[in-house]
Amino acid sequence: LAQLKVGFYKTSCPRAESIVKAAVQKRFNTDKSITAALLRMHFHDCFVRGCDASILIDSTNKSRSEKESGPNLTVRGYELIDEAKKALEKVCPSKVSCADIITLATRDSVVLAGGPSYDVPTGRRDGRVSNINEVNLPGPSLSVSQAFQSFKDKGLTMDDMVTLLGGHTVGVAHCSFFSGRLTNFQGTGKPDPSMDAGLVTTLKGICGNGSNPTAFLDQGTSFRFDNDFYRQIRAKKGVMKIDQELADDRLSSGIVSRFASNANLFRTRFAQAMVKMGNIQVLVGNAGEIRKNCRVIN
């Protein structure tokens, strides 16, 4: 794991992890949806230039950052990272990277939502580049094999992909991401036949008001981190096309079935897959920097 290690800040900033945890707890108390927001931020960060907090950098007059790309316009939770960073800078200036804050905060939020606790190896450093043109993330309308290409390019397996998409157990999606499945699916004039009719009706009710609202991706236990998502997609209740395809495609359906029937297996695998994702192309040693302000390169 390229010099990352559990307890990296034990001597340089002993309270690092508890400071991040306190900031996450405070936000979670008033906003349970922060778990889904952080999972998405972490994923979107790691899939572009690796887990280097390049997603946090603001655009300048000279360059447009990753934040401005289409898929990142609905990423949120930045102010929580800022708050944790500010608290850390008071106690141990220029020691804890923004990349580690994202990784730790995501883990803490998963635990608060009832998900698995796991040790996060730390020691990442922050990137110095953020470019809107480098954002190329797998979208919700891809097939399983198309989406898998992105994961495979990052060294992740099909099992990792199906596991990580289980994070949708606490997620939401804007209607614009799935409305094509509700009425005129692929020009047929009818809803997507792979979606449960009751769910079609429910989602039409949510999406009918024209302001692009959001719907829960797990319509059962929407704020609880559990394996219910897999049971739902097996019952044709996947909201986004890619979620439903996981249950229907022979490349992934076996993994979905295992997770649907074994909650502990999913918890164990999710913890492992998150640690693996958090190690994608990390900067360590003297590479990159430790940003003082997560939004700006030093």
Side-chain angles (χ1 to χ4, degrees):
L1 302 181
Q3 297 156 344
L4 293 188
K5 64 174 193 188
V6 174
F8 180 85
Y9 297 109
K10 208 157 64 188
T11 49
S12 64
C13 188
R15 288 174 51 210
E17 297 202 16
S18 58
I19 288 170
V20 173
K21 191 177 184 176
V24 176
Q25 177 78 64
K26 184 180 158 199
R27 177 68 181 268
F28 186 84
N29 290 345
T30 58
D31 176 14
K32 303 279 181 283
S33 73
I34 193 62
T35 305
L38 289 171
L39 279 164
R40 190 154 176 254
M41 180 194 289
H42 189 25
F43 171 60
H44 284 214
D45 181 42
C46 291
F47 267 59
V48 182
R49 289 192 159 261
C51 310
D52 68 345
S54 54
I55 195 169
L56 303 178
I57 295 173
D58 285 339
S59 293
T60 63
N61 294 337
K62 294 193 179 118
S63 65
R64 295 176 73 198
S65 70
E66 292 172 28
K67 274 184 181 172
E68 288 198 49
S69 68
N72 287 337
L73 293 175
T74 45
V75 170
R76 55 190 189 83
Y78 296 121
E79 65 300 325
L80 167 58
I81 304 297
D82 292 338
E83 197 177 308
K85 180 63 175 170
K86 200 171 155 189
L88 285 162
E89 283 298 307
K90 272 187 190 144
V91 180
C92 23
S94 301
K95 287 284 187 281
V96 182
S97 69
C98 301
D100 278 341
I101 297 172
I102 296 176
T103 316
L104 290 165
T106 303
R107 185 269 315 270
D108 295 336
S109 73
V110 165
V111 174
L112 289 169
S117 182
Y118 50 95
D119 286 332
V120 170
T122 42
R124 293 165 193 77
R125 288 170 66 86
D126 298 323
R128 296 175 52 83
V129 176
S130 184
N131 182 343
I132 186 174
N133 299 318
E134 291 183 357
V135 179
N136 179 19
L137 294 154
S141 57
L142 298 181
S143 68
V144 170
S145 51
Q146 287 169 329
F148 178 53
Q149 199 47 57
S150 293
F151 284 78
K152 195 175 153 191
D153 291 346
K154 304 294 177 196
L156 299 169
T157 64
M158 176 64 75
D159 197 295
D160 293 328
M161 178 176 97
V162 178
T163 304
L164 290 167
L165 285 172
H168 286 172
T169 181
V170 289
V172 297
H174 285 267
C175 289
S176 54
F177 283 114
F178 58 82
S179 53
R181 300 183 67 206
L182 304 180
T183 45
N184 186 20
F185 181 63
Q186 293 176 352
T188 58
K190 299 191 183 94
D192 184 341
S194 71
M195 188 186 278
D196 171 79
L199 181 60
V200 170
T201 306
T202 302
L203 294 176
K204 275 183 179 169
I206 293 169
C207 296
N209 73 13
S211 64
N212 197 20
T214 58
F216 288 111
L217 298 178
D218 169 351
Q219 295 273 310
T221 54
S222 309
F223 288 116
R224 181 121 191 104
F225 196 96
D226 56 19
N227 66 333
D228 195 44
F229 167 77
Y230 297 104
R231 290 199 286 269
Q232 301 240 349
I233 60 178
R234 291 197 75 204
K236 291 186 172 284
K237 292 183 180 175
V239 173
M240 289 200 292
K241 187 169 173 285
I242 182 64
D243 291 349
Q244 192 52 55
E245 300 243 337
L246 290 177
D248 299 341
D249 192 306
R250 57 179 187 77
L251 292 171
S252 49
S253 58
I255 306 166
V256 168
S257 300
R258 285 200 294 281
F259 289 154
S261 60
N262 189 335
N264 282 334
L265 176 66
F266 169 56
R267 290 172 72 85
T268 304
R269 280 293 297 120
F270 190 79
Q272 292 165 341
M274 286 296 284
V275 170
K276 195 169 168 186
M277 183 179 82
N279 286 297
I280 295 172
Q281 295 166 281
V282 292
L283 300 172
V284 292
N286 294 319
E289 64 182 20
I290 305 292
R291 271 181 240 144
K292 279 191 161 307
N293 172 346
C294 291
R295 294 170 180 265
V296 187
I297 294 156
N298 290 351

